[in-house]
Amino acid sequence: MPIRMKSALLPLLVIAVAIAGYAGLHAAAPKPEQDTTPARPISVFTATVRAEETRLTVHTQGEVRAATELDLVAQVGGRIVAVAQEFTEGGRIAAGEPLLEIEDTDYRLALSEARAVVAEADVRVQQALADADVARQQLRNEPGASPLARKQPQLAEAQAVLEAANARLEQAELNLERTRVHLPFDGRLLSTQVNVGQYVTPGTPLGRAFATSRVEVRLPLSDDQLAALDLPIGFTAETGQEPPVTFKATVAGKQHQWQGRLLRLDAALDPGSRMLYAMAEVQDPYASGASAEGMPMAAGLFVEATIPGRKLEAALLIPPAALRPGNKVHVLDDDGRLATRDVEVLSRSATRVVVGRGLRAGEQVIVSAIRNPVQGMALAAIAEPENG
């Protein structure tokens, strides 16, 4: 064999010997001991699924708004000569109480003139009646006499003039009355835009007010909440049969509660949110409808609402901690292993979750957190933690 070929094969021979030696050492190495100890179960807190007769409740929220709100606008022109002491933001105004007065001199003069015109027109009617009576006597033997000869058009004209004069008199009286601006209801002022000495014309904004007789709350409802209420879309409550609604809110550091009633449901879903809206109201929120502490349910307040729903004979109840994202529940099965279920949530609150499908009474649901839950993993139940 040539020397050059031997030199080329030598490195390959060295490599082959090294590989053979490594394989021999690896085969002769002792085998590691296999750990046959079963995985230690993870300890979890569980709660028992209870079946009880219960009534579903719907929890939602909304903003309080006045049922009646309007802009105050001048109906006659003139200089403002007086304003009420309560004509200010937040002022309390009784129905019919003058808010402000517009100078009425011109309107009083117009009223006096209108009365004089009515008196003059009335005299003309009396004169036309007398003329018509004389003509009737003179033409009693002439059955073919024209209406003009009988003074009938003249009488009709005088009566028309009197009617027009009376209309102008009513307008003058109305204009004089409109110099005193007032609300048609008991209410509060939201804003004012004029003051004493300012000249206004018909249509000038004077302020904005709302009625205090009742307030409304527009409440969004999801499809599940609508099912819990068991009311049809477009529902309108009969008088005296309105479902009760309890409102709660924290005001001045204290929680207050008000009682209202559900009036109706919208006839269509909101196209943006896909929610259905309900309308509830509270009567006399600034007096008899205030909270037990005397706090009114003021317009603009954000409140939480609770509405009682339908009654279930054997509802399945679990703690809120047992419900996982996506309406899933972890269950400890009879073999002590984790099983994840999809459940139908009918109602939920801070103290309980009402489940329709997915669980059975007596099953153990997991209420503690599980890191990296895996279907079928071994678990060990421990005593349910005490509330509080």
Side-chain angles (χ1 to χ4, degrees):
M1 180 179 296
I3 295 176
R4 182 176 300 176
M5 183 175 296
K6 290 181 179 180
S7 299
L9 292 176
L10 184 60
L12 296 176
L13 181 62
V14 172
I15 293 174
V17 172
I19 292 175
Y22 174 78
L25 290 175
H26 182 72
K31 299 289 184 179
E33 295 184 3
Q34 298 292 328
D35 186 4
T36 58
T37 304
R40 182 179 179 182
I42 299 175
S43 297
V44 292
F45 290 110
T46 63
T48 304
V49 180
R50 309 192 319 271
E52 298 179 4
E53 179 181 302
T54 188
R55 183 176 291 278
L56 300 180
T57 55
V58 171
H59 300 276
T60 181
Q61 54 194 3
E63 183 179 357
V64 181
R65 65 185 187 188
T68 303
E69 188 173 320
L70 55 79
D71 291 316
L72 294 169
V73 178
Q75 293 180 281
V76 295
R79 185 172 58 89
I80 297 175
V81 296
V83 297
Q85 184 176 359
E86 291 291 327
F87 187 70
T88 184
E89 287 83 353
R92 178 188 300 176
I93 306 297
E97 178 183 337
L99 284 172
L100 53 82
E101 297 181 13
I102 298 173
E103 189 175 20
D104 62 1
T105 303
D106 293 340
Y107 301 100
R108 290 186 179 277
L109 292 174
L111 179 59
S112 297
E113 181 180 353
R115 286 171 177 167
V117 172
V118 168
E120 180 182 358
D122 186 62
V123 170
R124 290 184 178 179
V125 169
Q126 298 304 322
Q127 182 64 51
L129 285 171
D131 292 344
D133 186 61
V134 171
R136 187 172 58 256
Q137 293 295 329
Q138 291 175 348
L139 301 173
R140 64 180 179 274
N141 296 324
E142 299 183 17
S146 66
L148 186 61
R150 294 177 183 275
K151 306 295 185 181
Q152 292 177 353
Q154 293 86 333
L155 175 59
E157 180 184 14
Q159 290 173 334
V161 171
L162 177 60
E163 290 181 5
N166 280 322
R168 287 193 292 271
L169 175 60
E170 291 180 7
Q171 184 64 58
E173 291 173 341
L174 186 59
N175 288 340
L176 180 60
E177 181 182 348
R178 287 172 173 173
T179 60
R180 283 158 178 76
V181 180
H182 57 80
L183 288 178
F185 47 71
D186 293 342
R188 298 265 184 154
L189 288 174
L190 287 171
S191 62
T192 60
Q193 296 177 246
V194 295
N195 213 325
V196 175
Q198 184 172 342
Y199 185 88
V200 297
T201 58
T204 299
L206 306 176
R208 189 167 180 81
F210 67 92
T212 56
S213 57
R214 68 187 184 100
V215 291
E216 295 178 338
V217 185
R218 190 165 163 82
L219 302 170
L221 300 173
S222 66
D223 188 68
D224 290 342
Q225 291 172 325
L226 183 62
L229 288 179
D230 197 23
L231 296 175
I233 294 176
F235 163 81
T236 300
E238 296 182 5
T239 303
Q241 302 296 320
E242 301 91 345
V245 183
T246 300
F247 296 101
K248 293 181 180 179
T250 300
V251 185
K254 296 181 180 179
Q255 188 174 72
H256 298 270
Q257 182 172 302
W258 303 269
Q259 296 300 320
R261 53 186 184 174
L262 184 68
L263 298 182
R264 61 185 178 276
L265 302 182
D266 284 358
L269 276 69
D270 181 82
S273 63
R274 308 308 302 169
M275 303 284 279
L276 185 74
Y277 282 85
M279 184 62 70
E281 72 165 11
V282 172
Q283 292 281 349
D284 201 14
Y286 286 82
S288 62
S291 69
E293 296 77 14
M295 180 64 68
M297 188 169 164
L301 195 64
F302 196 77
V303 294
E304 297 178 357
T306 302
I307 311 170
R310 57 192 172 97
K311 188 176 181 180
L312 299 178
E313 297 297 331
L316 299 178
L317 307 180
I318 62 174
L323 187 64
R324 313 289 169 162
N327 289 348
K328 296 181 181 297
V329 172
H330 295 324
V331 178
L332 182 64
D333 65 16
D334 296 337
D335 297 328
R337 297 189 175 277
L338 173 71
T340 302
R341 307 268 185 84
D342 292 315
V343 297
E344 176 192 20
V345 177
L346 300 179
S347 176
R348 71 184 73 188
S349 68
T351 58
R352 69 177 189 178
V353 176
V354 182
V355 176
R357 292 190 301 270
L359 296 174
R360 298 188 307 273
E363 285 191 302
Q364 297 295 309
V365 293
I366 300 168
V367 296
S368 56
I370 303 178
R371 180 179 299 178
N372 301 324
V374 178
Q375 187 85 355
M377 66 188 302
L379 301 174
I382 58 178
E384 183 177 356
E386 295 292 335
N387 292 331

